[in-house]
Amino acid sequence: MAQMTIRAVVFDAYGTLYDVQSVAGVTDQAFPGYGEIITQIWRLKQLEYTWLRSLMDRYEDFSVITRDSLTYTLTVLGLKPTADIFDRIMDKYVHLDLYPDAKQALTDLKGCKLAILSNGSADMLNVLVHNTGLDKILDATISVDSKKIFKPSPQAYMLIEPNLGVKPSEVLFVSSNSFDACGAKAFGLNVAWIERVTADAMALEWKKNDFVRPLTMFKAMRMQMEQFGLDPDYRISGLGGLATLVRV
Ligand code: LAC
């Protein structure tokens, strides 16, 4: 690909800067032995609900979706949380762990405008960004909420230009969610996909286990590239590789 002029680097939040798997500690504490399965069904359903609500034209913000998908998950597993336990699990969504390479990667990109574009509601995102100190690094935290539709709708990616004053051709969008990387590519952004689980590692994981772990299933469903013919411009194994791409 020809050398790009990148003036803004825009990140997906959940799964890209923030590790959604970090809810496993609190889910397992709440329901010992169920942590992994709760974590995977919850995240799978959460994303499904964004797409289904968008298609039904029944938008509710991401905090409602996150609650509803947790209710779904606990119900199908036959688990009955007290209101206190439910709230404790939900609270982790505003205290998610950053990936270990996130802060350094953002610091290394100073010189570019830096932002989040996320499905999260403004309230959820602002608290999370504040709790993890990213408010001091980011120029903007953009929620799809003003458009009342979720990624990968083009309307979501359209929010970048008016918020940052940077044209799509000068934006590098970064996501580890393959559906999101494809959506951004379809819209016309430059895209770096964070490939945290390579195809080879995936293949090996099937061979290694004699039963299919929920996490392995999740990696197959959400952490491999989609077959839409919308390949990202870059595949990198972690956020640390971004500064070299952008050459700040
Ligand atoms: C987000 C979802 C895709 O942060 O995880 O927008």
Side-chain angles (χ1 to χ4, degrees):
M1 187 188 169
Q3 182 62 36
M4 327 169 272
T5 306
I6 292 302
R7 295 180 48 228
V9 185
V10 179
F11 294 83
D12 167 57
Y14 305 110
T16 299
L17 291 174
Y18 294 98
D19 185 1
V20 287
Q21 296 293 329
S22 66
V23 304
V26 70
T27 52
D28 202 63
Q29 205 174 33
F31 296 104
Y34 286 87
E36 182 174 335
I37 188 73
I38 294 172
T39 302
Q40 308 321 322
I41 297 180
W42 188 13
R43 177 64 175 165
L44 287 169
K45 272 291 153 185
Q46 181 195 45
L47 288 173
E48 246 180 75
Y49 279 8
T50 61
W51 304 322
L52 293 172
R53 282 200 171 276
S54 295
L55 280 169
M56 288 190 290
D57 214 0
R58 290 290 176 106
Y59 179 87
E60 292 285 349
D61 82 25
F62 202 63
S63 61
V64 174
I65 284 198
T66 303
R67 289 192 84 83
D68 289 350
S69 50
L70 178 59
T71 301
Y72 174 97
T73 302
L74 299 178
T75 305
V76 298
L77 293 171
L79 301 171
K80 294 182 176 53
T82 60
D84 188 50
I85 287 179
F86 192 93
D87 289 348
R88 209 178 317 147
I89 298 176
M90 277 295 295
D91 190 58
K92 183 66 188 174
Y93 247 85
V94 289
H95 293 97
L96 289 172
D97 297 1
L98 277 168
Y99 276 103
D101 52 357
K103 265 197 182 147
Q104 189 58 51
L106 287 165
T107 310
D108 292 347
L109 289 166
K110 269 190 189 155
C112 288
K113 283 194 177 173
L114 299 174
I116 279 176
L117 170 70
S118 171
N119 278 341
S121 61
D123 284 356
M124 291 172 84
L125 287 170
N126 289 337
V127 179
L128 176 64
V129 161
H130 174 79
N131 285 343
T132 50
L134 291 197
D135 52 343
K136 294 183 194 74
I137 305 177
L138 296 171
D139 296 293
T141 299
I142 309 166
S143 164
V144 301
D145 192 53
S146 62
K147 292 285 183 187
K148 304 276 177 268
I149 196 159
F150 293 103
K151 295 187 282 184
S153 165
Q155 290 188 59
Y157 305 101
M158 224 172 261
L159 285 164
I160 295 173
E161 188 169 1
N163 273 281
L164 297 184
V166 179
K167 288 186 300 204
S169 60
E170 295 179 331
V171 172
L172 180 66
F173 185 78
V174 182
S175 187
S176 66
N177 289 295
S178 48
F179 83 88
D180 190 23
C182 291
K185 190 72 205 149
F187 176 73
L189 300 171
N190 303 290
V191 175
W193 177 49
I194 309 296
E195 184 179 23
R196 289 213 168 84
V197 182
T198 62
D200 285 351
M202 188 78 250
L204 205 64
E205 196 157 326
W206 295 116
K207 287 200 188 117
K208 215 168 51 190
N209 300 319
D210 45 13
F211 72 100
V212 177
R213 286 182 56 184
L215 179 57
T216 304
M217 195 67 187
F218 182 86
K219 288 177 182 172
M221 296 299 292
R222 291 288 184 269
M223 297 183 80
Q224 302 297 299
M225 188 33 69
E226 308 295 348
Q227 299 293 332
F228 293 139
L230 289 164
D231 285 344
D233 300 290
Y234 302 100
R235 294 175 176 233
I236 51 177
S237 60
L239 297 164
L242 286 169
T244 343
L245 287 186
V246 174
R247 297 221 195 128
V248 279

